[in-house]
Amino acid sequence: MTKEEAIAKIRDLSEKIEHNNYLYYIKSDPVISDFEFDQLLNELIRIESDFPELVSPESPSQRVGGGITRDFETVKHKFPMMSLGNTYSEEELRDFDTRIRKIIGDEFEYVCELKFDGVAIGLTYVDGKLSKALTRGDGIQGDDVTTNVKTIKSIPLKLRGNDWPTEFEARGEILMYRSVFDKLNEERLDIGEPALANPRNTASGTLKMQDSKVVASRKLDSFIYALYSDQNLFTTHNESIRSLKKWGLKTSDQMAVCTTFEDVLDYIHQWETGRHSLPFDIDGVVIKINKLAQQDELGFTAKSPRWAISYKYKAESGSTKLISIDYQVGRTGAITPVANLEPVQLAGTTVRRASLHNADIIEKLELHEGDTVFVEKGGEIIPKITGVDLSKREPDTEAIKYITHCPECDTELERKEGEASHYCPNESGCPPQIKGKIEHFVGRKAMNIDSLGEAKIDFLYNKGLIRNYADIYSLNEESLSNIESEEENKVSFKEKGITNLLSGIEESKNVPFERVLFGLGIRYVGDTVAKKLARHLMSIEAISKASFQDLIEIPEIGDKIAESVVNWFHKEENINLIDKLRLANVKLEISESEKELSGDKLKGKSFVISGVFEKHSRDELKNIIERNGGKVSSSISSKTSFLIAGSEAGPSKIQKAEALGTNMISEDEFLHLLI
């Protein structure tokens, strides 16, 4: 390919990719599959790698991340990012309306918008191209996070059309959808990491990460709600938002123009309950004057515009007494402080405990023993302590100091640089860590020994019958029968229960290697990473011998994961565990039949499985799909490539597949795709 041909091809591919990106992220109306989109992007990346001098900052290839930002430069805002005045009171909102009318009369409109619970961002476009992205900072200057913002697919690198100002700033909010946040927390819990507090803080932390590739994986999103320019292009705020949307920026469909103050109140009341059905978090409503000339007439105070105010919804809160703090030890040794409270009613439930997350939170709250604390249910789900009622603090009470030693084994705690949590390093001798590792090993995503629950693990550990998860395979009918008659035993080990448990242990020996690897509980190795390691290196032997360099050459295996894997296999006690599992005939490598059904033949294709099948279980079909690069979803959408329908397939799935024109195939037809 000549350079001229490459220029033309790059231009063509970039236009197609950005158009389909716009249809997917802005219009929510995709017309090509994920596989077809990935093919276009991969072809662009391939050509750009052959002609690196042709890579532009606006290329869609720049969205995948990879750039490292060691320090975020502080840059002055051209248009200061002022804060809005807040109110929780309808009466104060009426006072705001009265003040407006005294200055500009009664001939005006309001615009009502959702107040997104995210991170403010200012996007500067020059000649239709994204030039700079700044955080709020102190309102006068913010941090340059352009490299990270480029990974957010709802933010165009190049605008559509040609009627935009030569230079302007699009101001909005970067946020994380709750479904993305929940999945991220699920993955963190899989690898033994503490759960993140909420989507807003996670979005904020993600935006300031040094590795833009990690930022890209976090799937941040955006909504734009204002335009700032030296040119006077519009007469109303509503017109400017419509233009921003036309140029390819994502704006909210929930914005409304209100002609009366009662319309404003109706909008507020509508979303006070409606916000719970949104896929992202909001904490109120922003009310603005629509006409820009009237905004100019009203002007600004020293801190905020006089033509706008935010009405914030009250989080249900209460005050109660802090009784004590427990320090829970997770299976990776992570310490989580939990506050024990006098019972308080919040959002229809009785709250007795609240997470304090880490030492920094306790220090920030300046908690003292016996304090009266304010408690909210964050997102109406997770109770949290938001402050202390200092007026009720008893004199001479001591400030709470974070523990220095493990509450279970008294080992001195460690805290790695850059991490929020403290850890107990005594992996092989700390009871909660050992029990937690066993619970993880027998879990559904790992060995799936469902007859061995938390209570039984606790009992067997306390009786000395198991000291690690490999000991499970030493259990037998005799050892279990001998403990059944003890009076203090509240756990049932009757004949049928013993049979079921031993049967479940035996069946677990057939679990695929990738799930065994996940079950080992290596830090940072969740089920997705375990699949990648297993399919790339094929056996526990190869993984144990892999160097740090070998591991980071595997796609999506970073330094932190590689270091953790190498360290795990360097410990003698872990090698002993593997030896015991090998003697028990647990699968420690991918079988020949699995190797034959592995490849990339299904890359870019999405499947839904429904019904009963003759040759494979649904889990086996899922494993085959994933080993061949495909994805499995629980529900059918426009992005689903195939519905694999067995006998007794769900009627609703079949109906939806027919309505969407999704390909429906049998088990044999699916297996034919792999030939």
Side-chain angles (χ1 to χ4, degrees), residues 448-459:
N448 196 27
I449 309 174
D450 60 4
S451 50
L452 190 57
E454 181 181 350
K456 286 184 178 178
I457 289 170
D458 190 61
F459 181 79

Side-chain angles (χ1 to χ4, degrees), residues 150-430:
K150 283 185 175 181
T151 69
I152 303 173
K153 294 182 179 178
S154 58
I155 294 177
L157 305 181
K158 187 177 180 181
L159 299 176
R160 301 169 67 83
N162 57 14
D163 59 340
W164 16 261
T166 303
E167 180 177 340
F168 72 94
E169 181 183 333
R171 195 163 287 176
E173 204 89 358
I174 288 175
L175 48 76
M176 180 176 281
Y177 276 62
R178 281 196 294 271
S179 59
V180 176
F181 174 76
D182 291 342
K183 187 175 181 182
L184 178 60
N185 261 346
E186 184 181 340
E187 291 169 354
R188 287 178 63 85
L189 293 171
D190 269 352
I191 62 176
E193 290 288 277
L196 297 165
N198 56 61
R200 193 264 170 208
N201 289 358
T202 305
S204 178
T206 299
L207 202 58
K208 294 295 291 293
M209 283 181 163
Q210 292 184 338
D211 188 347
S212 62
K213 196 168 187 178
V214 178
V215 179
S217 72
R218 291 284 184 92
K219 298 180 180 177
L220 296 175
D221 213 323
S222 68
F223 284 100
I224 304 301
Y225 51 67
L227 183 152
Y228 290 82
S229 172
D230 291 328
Q231 299 173 249
N232 296 319
L233 298 174
F234 309 103
T235 59
T236 67
H237 172 72
N238 189 37
E239 288 174 8
S240 69
I241 297 300
R242 287 205 304 266
S243 291
L244 287 166
K245 185 173 185 177
K246 183 179 67 172
W247 298 334
L249 289 144
K250 187 172 182 178
T251 60
S252 173
D253 292 331
Q254 285 82 30
M255 191 179 83
V257 176
C258 300
T259 55
T260 69
F261 182 72
E262 297 308 316
D263 290 341
V264 171
L265 293 181
D266 288 344
Y267 183 92
I268 289 170
H269 297 153
Q270 174 192 345
W271 288 108
E272 186 162 17
T273 54
R275 62 190 168 125
H276 302 305
S277 62
L278 291 168
F280 46 79
D281 291 338
I282 67 167
D283 57 2
V285 168
V286 176
I287 302 106
K288 303 174 182 176
I289 298 299
N290 191 22
K291 275 193 178 180
L292 301 182
Q294 291 176 325
Q295 288 185 10
D296 290 340
E297 185 178 350
L298 289 162
F300 299 83
T301 67
K303 294 183 179 180
S304 59
R306 290 192 178 93
W307 42 266
I309 193 170
S310 69
Y311 179 91
K312 298 190 77 171
Y313 296 121
K314 293 177 183 176
E316 187 165 353
S317 64
S319 65
T320 187
K321 190 170 184 178
L322 173 67
I323 299 172
S324 62
I325 295 178
D326 291 337
Y327 294 87
Q328 299 177 343
V329 186
R331 68 174 174 86
T332 61
I335 309 296
T336 303
V338 178
N340 296 304
L341 309 168
E342 286 187 354
V344 59
Q345 286 288 321
L346 286 180
T349 59
T350 302
V351 173
R352 292 182 172 86
R353 289 161 71 81
S355 175
L356 286 164
H357 296 292
N358 53 57
D360 292 343
I361 298 294
I362 292 175
E363 185 178 350
K364 183 178 179 181
L365 289 167
E366 297 181 356
L367 285 175
H368 282 223
E369 293 175 355
D371 267 346
T372 296
V373 296
F374 299 109
V375 185
E376 288 183 3
K377 293 197 79 175
E380 284 68 52
I381 299 170
I382 304 169
K384 61 181 179 181
I385 294 175
T386 58
V388 176
D389 188 343
L390 296 176
S391 68
K392 295 183 179 179
R393 175 174 287 171
E394 297 290 337
D396 302 323
T397 58
E398 291 189 13
I400 291 173
K401 295 178 180 177
Y402 201 87
I403 57 173
T404 58
H405 289 70
C406 176
E408 299 287 342
C409 68
D410 204 37
T411 302
E412 188 173 358
L413 300 181
E414 295 178 354
R415 185 179 187 181
K416 292 184 179 179
E417 186 177 350
E419 295 197 5
S421 297
H422 285 74
Y423 288 85
C424 169
N426 185 18
E427 292 182 47
S428 57
C430 184

